[in-house]
Amino acid sequence: MADLDRLIQTLYYSSFEDEWMDFRVKSLAQVSAWLGASGAAWLTRSSGDLPGEFTDYPEKSGVTR
């Protein structure tokens, strides 16, 4: 199995097993490591009036929103 396939399989599994905010931080850490990046960010925007969510890795602000 290719490295990318293993990463995708791990992310799919984690999405079912982990709490949403834990999954976001954990998946950013895994993707960053796989890419050799020093960090990453994930912004989810709402299509309605609800606010989106921002997660960064490593957490620069110390708060995952």
Side-chain angles (χ1 to χ4, degrees), residues 2-62:
D3 287 342
L4 179 57
D5 292 332
R6 277 192 281 281
L7 175 64
I8 292 169
Q9 182 180 22
T10 300
L11 294 176
Y12 275 131
Y13 177 78
S14 295
S15 71
F16 289 103
E17 294 298 316
D18 298 335
E19 293 296 322
W20 176 240
M21 293 309 294
D22 295 335
F23 166 71
R24 289 170 65 102
V25 174
K26 185 177 176 180
S27 63
L28 284 175
Q30 292 172 330
V31 170
S32 294
W34 188 82
L35 292 172
S38 61
W42 184 342
L43 175 63
T44 304
R45 297 184 61 175
S46 173
S47 61
D49 293 333
L50 298 173
E53 295 178 358
F54 177 80
T55 306
D56 55 347
Y57 173 84
E59 295 180 47
K60 303 211 184 337
S61 63

